Structures are given as structure tokens and as C-alpha cells.
Amino acid sequence: MFYVYLLRSKSKKDQFYVGYTINLKKRFAEHNALRSKATKPYAPWEIIFYEAYKSMSDAKRRKLYLKTTKGKKALKIMLKNSMNI
């Protein structure tokens, strides 16, 4: 399975990160172990949303969509309570 996930920074609540991986637990641990340049400054992170896909291309397409303005807007509507906690 391929996972698309949304992280929220615990230190800077308005900072989010969208990514995809084949091993969600391992990748999440890497983000919190400061092994990712993109997320290092905002660690620690929490997972607030993820989706699973059989196809890598479907997961990549979904990740790219969620990074667009329209995708971000959809996430904010879908996860209104989770993103404002």
C-alpha cells in the first residue's frame, strides 16, 4: 500500500506537510527524528490524516492535488476540527 498523509507541526500549529510513502510508521518516525530537511525546522509532528492507495501513481497524484490551493481548501473543509485544535 502507498500512503498519502498530512502532518501538523506541534511547535508551530499553522505549519502542515503533505507527503506520501510506502511505510507510514517509518516515514513518520523519520520526520520526528529530524531526518527530513523540509520538516526539520517544525518538528515535532503529528499525523492528522492519511489515505491508503494500491497504486503509487494514484498516491502521487493525490499528494500533488492536496498541495494545490484547491486541495488545501478541501483539506481545511474536511478536517476543520483537526486543523484548528
Side-chain angles (χ1 to χ4, degrees):
M1 296 298 278
F2 295 89
Y3 299 91
V4 176
Y5 59 92
L6 176 67
L7 301 179
R8 178 180 181 200
S9 172
K10 288 184 176 183
S11 61
K12 190 172 181 192
K13 298 292 185 183
D14 64 339
Q15 190 66 34
F16 297 91
Y17 178 81
V18 176
Y20 86 97
T21 186
I22 194 164
N23 187 331
L24 186 58
K25 286 182 182 181
K26 180 182 174 188
R27 187 67 179 130
F28 179 62
E30 289 171 354
H31 285 296
N32 280 325
L34 310 178
R35 291 191 205 133
S36 171
K37 286 182 184 180
T39 59
K40 187 177 182 176
Y42 306 104
W45 293 91
E46 63 182 334
I47 296 175
I48 62 170
F49 175 76
Y50 70 91
E51 298 172 332
Y53 294 87
K54 284 180 131 182
S55 162
M56 181 172 64
S57 61
D58 288 342
K60 281 184 177 182
R61 188 178 316 107
R62 181 65 166 165
K63 179 194 86 159
L64 291 173
Y65 169 74
L66 293 176
K67 288 186 171 195
T68 66
T69 302
K70 195 173 180 180
K72 289 175 188 175
K73 199 177 277 190
L75 281 172
K76 286 180 183 177
I77 292 168
M78 266 181 7
L79 304 170
K80 183 177 180 180
N81 293 331
S82 296
M83 293 179 89
N84 290 326
I85 292 174

